[in-house]
Amino acid sequence: MFTHTFEINANPGLTPPAPLGPLVPPGAYTLRLTVDGKTYTQPVTVVNDPRSPATVADVRAQYALETRVVAAMQTAWDGYQQVAAARAAVAANKALDSTLAGGWR
């Protein structure tokens, strides 16, 4: 039986030391890998860590919360990107205005 605890990145030094997002709750899943246009699939079953006192309901609730947190973080990041782009546009316009105003002296 194959067990795996976190994502593997085939590039040396780029495998994260821990998962970068929410862990999925226990259940049946299908892994899908596409290489050169060919897709390979494999069914897997994720089980709760037997050392954990958390129930399946606890793990599902934690996953739901983590998913909402990740979505909120993405929304905040998107907002930051928009503000940064607006600030850059304002700065570029000010620089252009200064350049144009200098030409009229």
Side-chain angles (χ1 to χ4, degrees):
M1 178 177 169
F2 175 74
T3 59
H4 183 61
T5 57
F6 64 93
E7 171 184 330
I8 293 177
N9 185 327
N11 299 303
L14 296 180
T15 299
L20 299 178
L23 299 175
V24 296
Y29 296 89
T30 300
L31 301 180
R32 185 174 308 136
L33 173 68
T34 303
V35 178
D36 294 330
K38 182 164 173 56
T39 301
Y40 306 87
T41 60
Q42 176 71 44
V44 297
T45 301
V46 175
V47 296
N48 199 20
D49 184 339
R51 301 167 296 175
S52 171
T55 66
V56 172
D58 293 338
V59 174
R60 289 181 194 274
Q62 179 178 336
Y63 176 76
L65 174 61
E66 290 173 340
T67 301
R68 288 193 308 271
V69 169
V70 167
M73 289 171 63
Q74 185 63 55
T75 299
W77 176 249
D78 292 344
Y80 167 78
Q81 297 276 40
Q82 292 172 1
V83 169
R87 285 180 176 164
V90 168
N93 285 337
K94 283 184 180 179
L96 179 61
D97 288 348
S98 295
T99 300
L100 293 175
W104 292 99
R105 290 183 184 175

